[in-house]
Amino acid sequence: MSVLVQNCRTCGGRWFPARLMCPRCGGADLVPVSVERGVVEQLTHLGDVVIASVACDPEPLLVARLHGAVEPGDVVELTDDPGASGRPVAFVPPISLPREEMS
Amino acid sequence: MAAGSLRALRRPDGVSVIGAGESPYTRHPASGTTTDGVLADAVRRALADANIQASEVDGFGACSFTLGPDHAVDLAWRLGLRLRWLMQDTNGGASAGTMLQHAVRAVESGDASVVVLVAGDLMDQQVHLKMVAEYNRATAEQLVPLDMLGPNALFALLTQRQMAAEGLTRTDYGRLAVAQREWASLNPGAVYRQPLTLDDYLNAPMVAEPLGRYDCVPPVTGADAVVVAADERAAGMRRARVLGVSARYNTDDQTGDGLVTGLADCAPELWAAAGRGPADVDVVSVYDDYPAMALAQLKDLGLVAGGELPAFVAERLATRELAVNTSGGQLSAGQPGSAGGMHGLVEVVRQLRGQAGERQVAARLGLFSGYGMVLYRYGACATAGLLEAAG
Ligand SMILES: [Zn+2]
């Protein structure tokens, strides 16, 4: 399980949601890269829905929906599959990438 | 002075807001209420307040989420305005500063002589749900699929970060909400005027912890407008002279904690331009979509230092010693879509022109700020302006 974020091949910056140019170096060589886990920073409940800020190491910061028993400070697996279940995960909807980045 | 570049640097005697109007805010608009109807109502009220005829207006700016398929020019046409200068703004909670910044330069440069700025929306529940679902691409693609409608959860997470960073508690935010309700009780235009106690605040239903019902602005229908003109034009009129307007957009690419807004960068240049400091301010309107953001803006503008927020809330806001959000703010007056961005400017203008009725404070120098347009994790637009009573 993982989610795709953008990786700038010029400066190494990692971005989510997708950008058109790298905010750090201005480069346009942005390619998708898998990120498998992050740390839950804060979470809140909207009824039964648990929304969290999840920090990848070293970046980016994601807004995710948590499934399962997860507390702030926990490392959680990331998934872009809304139906995933069984163990604690953080769901992050997939980014729509520019066409040339699709493989 | 022939060169256009030099003319642009010339500072005329002054540019002022000479009138303000607000179409009454309503939680449940009567059937038949329309966006263009409330915008037109606010424009008529502002023109009457400024004692200006529509035929004298040659500049117009509008911000509305619900004006479509019409644009600013369609609205101008239907208002009968013949113009030399026109802008359409899309910056919601920051729209007053955005539009005022442009309008002041337009008057200074001679591109327009009398400018009307208006913001407002029809905001019934269906419209509100559609707006928050389609706010921008990141919202539609990355947030709505989380079963998260609207920004409450994002600002709940931000408020948790602010509580940890500043030593704030729910009681502190409650004191702010209660103080604004006390101001609202003096404002016939506020939708919520009945007293609110700290217990009411703390015991209200939770929306997204730590945010309860009274942390979240009630959507309303309404519109706000101001009239901007050169001081020469407004001789003898009570007016609010614009000393400076400053704006920042996307200062951190959404990579921070959201506790510092673009106002932190606006503030130094604003104070320098005006030759004044935070201690000189008599009346303040900060954009209060959530109490945490009101406090963040007061800090960024220099009215309170980091680490001193709990004492500031108790000693200066709860006591209403510092006149902040004297209309009741959006938390009590309501959030009329994009007019929420204009509401604070209208209140500061009214205070500086001595038109604030029972809530009038002794005000020579007024400060307003705007904030908004959540890109992904928090707002990305911040504007602020400083105005002085004149005439
Ligand atoms: Zn880069």
Side-chain angles (χ1 to χ4, degrees):
Chain A
M1 287 192 295
S2 63
V3 301
L4 290 179
V5 305
Q6 272 183 323
N7 181 217
C8 174
R9 285 205 283 208
T10 308
C11 76
R14 291 191 170 197
W15 309 105
F16 189 94
R19 313 297 162 89
L20 301 166
M21 290 167 58
C22 176
R24 193 164 292 148
C25 74
D29 191 5
L30 299 163
V31 296
V33 60
S34 289
V35 178
E36 289 171 2
R37 59 190 64 83
V39 176
V40 175
E41 292 195 310
Q42 303 89 27
L43 62 83
T44 190
H45 294 77
L46 279 174
D48 295 335
V49 176
V50 184
I51 301 293
S53 176
V54 177
C56 303
D57 184 14
E59 58 187 8
L61 287 161
L62 305 171
V63 182
R65 177 175 178 174
L66 301 181
H67 295 283
V70 185
E71 299 292 327
D74 287 355
V75 174
V76 66
E77 282 189 82
L78 300 170
T79 179
D80 59 9
D81 179 355
S85 62
R87 59 184 198 265
V89 291
F91 164 59
V92 178
I95 45 176
S96 54
L97 295 165
R99 183 162 296 278
E100 62 270 23
E101 293 177 14
M102 302 283 195
S103 56
Chain B
M1 201 180 292
S5 59
L6 286 178
R7 196 183 68 165
L9 295 172
R10 183 181 67 89
R11 182 116 191 140
D13 292 345
V15 177
S16 292
V17 178
I18 62 170
E22 188 167 270
S23 185
Y25 291 4
T26 52
R27 194 90 168 90
H28 304 287
S31 75
T33 304
T34 61
T35 293
D36 52 5
V38 296
L39 290 167
D41 186 42
V43 168
R44 280 193 298 269
R45 289 169 186 266
L47 288 174
D49 186 46
N51 196 25
I52 288 278
Q53 303 298 314
S55 58
E56 299 174 77
V57 175
D58 59 0
F60 183 63
C63 180
S64 174
F65 294 128
T66 56
L67 185 60
D70 276 2
H71 302 94
V73 70
D74 301 287
L75 184 60
W77 170 53
R78 298 189 63 217
L79 290 165
L81 302 177
R82 281 172 288 277
L83 306 169
R84 295 196 289 151
W85 183 92
L86 175 71
M87 74 173 288
Q88 181 160 355
D89 182 76
T90 57
N91 295 315
S95 60
T98 305
M99 292 196 289
L100 187 62
Q101 185 186 42
H102 288 297
V104 167
R105 296 302 182 208
V107 173
E108 283 178 348
S109 69
D111 287 344
S113 62
V114 177
V115 177
V116 172
L117 305 175
V118 65
D121 279 293
L122 170 72
M123 203 47 73
D124 63 18
Q125 196 180 9
Q126 211 174 354
V127 172
H128 184 255
L129 289 175
K130 182 173 155 63
M131 183 189 79
V132 296
E134 301 172 357
Y135 202 63
N136 56 23
R137 182 182 298 189
T139 300
E141 296 182 359
Q142 258 72 55
L143 298 177
V144 172
L146 303 174
D147 287 328
M148 194 189 104
L149 203 50
N152 287 338
L154 296 177
F155 285 93
L157 302 174
L158 186 151
T159 300
Q160 290 181 25
R161 295 193 284 271
Q162 190 183 55
M163 291 169 84
E166 298 286 349
L168 290 158
T169 65
R170 287 199 71 226
T171 295
D172 297 312
Y173 297 116
R175 287 183 174 134
L176 182 148
V178 168
Q180 289 195 193
R181 183 62 62 89
E182 287 171 4
W183 286 114
S185 74
L186 306 173
N187 176 13
V191 295
Y192 291 111
R193 306 183 59 205
Q194 69 279 24
L196 176 75
T197 68
L198 193 55
D199 279 347
D200 292 336
Y201 171 91
L202 292 171
N203 296 326
M206 199 53 75
V207 173
E209 76 274 18
L211 303 183
R213 175 181 291 166
Y214 296 109
D215 292 295
C216 303
V217 285
V220 299
T221 291
D224 289 69
V226 295
V227 182
V228 179
D231 276 358
E232 298 91 286
R233 175 126 198 163
M237 291 182 68
R238 192 81 190 260
R239 55 195 187 270
R241 178 182 286 142
V242 183
L243 300 182
V245 184
S246 177
R248 289 293 188 280
Y249 306 100
N250 185 38
T251 47
D252 69 359
D253 295 304
Q254 301 279 294
T255 60
D257 55 18
L259 302 183
V260 179
T261 72
L263 295 179
D265 294 331
C266 294
E269 67 189 24
L270 198 58
W271 298 123
R276 311 292 172 83
D280 300 325
V281 171
D282 302 306
V283 62
V284 184
S285 292
V286 286
Y287 190 82
D288 58 330
D289 50 350
Y290 299 92
M293 292 322 303
L295 294 181
Q297 288 163 70
L298 290 166
K299 179 182 165 187
D300 289 347
L301 290 164
L303 280 93
V304 53
E308 296 174 8
L309 281 167
F312 172 81
V313 170
E315 292 161 19
R316 305 209 63 201
L317 293 190
T319 57
R320 294 191 289 144
E321 175 198 274
L322 185 62
V324 175
N325 291 350
T326 52
S327 70
Q330 298 179 82
L331 288 169
S332 284
Q335 181 178 59
S338 50
M342 191 78 95
H343 179 83
L345 171 60
V346 165
E347 177 65 12
V348 163
V349 168
R350 284 177 168 170
Q351 289 282 358
L352 295 178
R353 297 181 74 225
Q355 298 173 311
E358 285 186 75
R359 64 187 189 283
Q360 182 69 50
V361 300
R364 293 289 304 170
L365 192 65
L367 173 67
F368 77 93
S369 69
Y371 168 82
M373 304 313 290
V374 172
L375 297 187
Y376 177 53
R377 300 174 59 241
Y378 44 80
C381 297
T383 57
L386 206 52
L387 300 98
E388 180 182 44

